[in-house]
Amino acid sequence: MKRPFILGDIRRGGLFAIAAAALFGASTPAAKVVVGDVPPLMLAGLLYLGSGVGLTLFRLASGRVRLPFSRRDTPWLVVAVLFGGVVGPALLMLGLTTVTGSAASLLLTLEGVFTALIAWIVFREPFNGRVGLGMVAIVAGAVLLALHGGSGRAALGGALAVVGACLCWAIDNNCTSRIAEADAAALAAVKGLVAGVVNVSLALVAGAALPSLGNAALSALIGLLGYGISLVLFVLALREVGAARSGAYFSTAPFLGALLSILLLRDSWGAATVGAGALMALGVWLHLTEQSPENTVKSSAT
């Protein structure tokens, strides 16, 4: 039986989730820089290999060798690795080949929506009408961005690929929450190693060549920060506030990514981008300012 949330949990978990969001948000425009030189599937593999290898070395250096997973954790871990480590990153890298970094970043707001929906519908986490209204605003912004954020079928297909990545990571988030009490670094390391090896192998079988040493090292560093350490922080957030709330806080990531894309990559932006960003920002604000009745009662008693 899960312990009830208290105000301290929400604050601490929120900080973990926002820190995870900052690292992940920056990784999208960073990956956009590399994706022109590295095939999408190869890049997805290198990102996760960087995460897995880096975190494995960290665990070995700190004397932690044993993997702290039980047999009942295995199904959740397998699904999390499959959707969150293999399919999701490949879809995002594919989407980045045809949509701008800012548009892709904003579309990633849907990950929080999908995470909350799965948490509410499948795992019966508490539903809150304020967060539901925020989800409507986020989805409206995503639809506006997908319809007007680019030109041609390629851009629409890229947007749909990013949406598919969001759904994959939402499945991953909810499965990870089932084993969130396990060592966060071990969980991220296993996901990174398995997903990285699988995606790099698939890319090689499909005929992709290994990138230059510089691009490989840059991809690995982006993966370690944006996927590895970010995931560790997100798992810590899951322990404190659950999948639905963690997903809501994590929804701040796309706005950082979009801002960096516009400032550093000189992405073009117009009325559709501004309108979609405003709708999504409203939705995220509704999420972040949500406080359920059970939290209010608990915090007033402490």
Side-chain angles (χ1 to χ4, degrees), residues 16-285:
F16 285 140
I18 290 173
L23 290 173
F24 181 71
S27 73
T28 301
K32 178 68 176 179
V33 173
V34 185
V35 77
D37 299 318
V38 182
L41 193 59
M42 176 66 72
L43 179 56
L46 291 173
L47 289 170
Y48 268 92
L49 270 182
S51 167
V53 171
L55 291 175
T56 298
L57 292 175
F58 168 77
R59 294 189 73 252
L60 292 176
S62 59
R64 289 176 289 177
V65 179
R66 190 179 66 86
L67 293 178
F69 302 115
S70 65
R71 181 174 298 180
R72 64 183 179 183
D73 294 333
T74 302
W76 301 113
L77 184 60
V78 169
V79 176
V81 170
L82 175 62
F83 284 95
V86 178
V87 183
L91 286 174
L92 176 60
M93 296 308 114
L94 179 62
L96 285 175
T97 61
T98 59
V99 299
T100 64
S102 56
S105 294
L106 288 177
L107 284 171
L108 288 175
T109 312
L110 288 172
E111 180 183 344
V113 173
F114 291 144
T115 298
L117 283 174
I118 294 173
W120 292 334
I121 296 171
V122 179
F123 297 106
R124 305 300 183 185
E125 288 195 15
F127 177 83
N128 184 286
R130 185 182 182 87
V131 174
L133 182 60
M135 290 169 55
V136 172
I138 292 172
V139 171
V143 171
L144 178 62
L145 195 64
L147 294 178
H148 301 283
S151 59
R153 293 183 179 178
L156 180 58
L160 292 176
V162 177
V163 172
C166 292
L167 179 58
C168 289
W169 279 318
I171 295 171
D172 171 18
N173 293 341
N174 280 278
C175 290
T176 299
S177 72
R178 304 300 109 184
I179 51 177
E181 295 302 322
D183 184 277
L187 179 59
V190 168
K191 181 183 293 185
L193 289 174
V194 174
V197 169
V198 169
N199 275 338
V200 168
S201 299
L202 289 175
L204 291 173
V205 169
L210 289 172
S212 66
L213 182 60
N215 277 334
L218 178 59
S219 301
L221 179 61
I222 294 170
L224 175 60
L225 295 173
Y227 288 24
I229 296 176
S230 175
L231 178 58
V232 171
L233 292 168
F234 188 76
V235 171
L236 294 176
L238 287 173
R239 293 178 183 176
E240 302 292 340
V241 294
R245 287 180 176 82
S246 295
Y249 284 110
F250 197 77
S251 294
T252 58
F255 299 97
L256 174 61
L259 181 62
L260 289 175
S261 294
I262 291 171
L263 293 178
L264 302 180
L265 303 182
R266 304 299 182 185
D267 280 358
S268 60
W269 55 278
T273 303
V274 173
L279 284 168
M280 291 173 166
L282 172 62
V284 170
W285 176 78

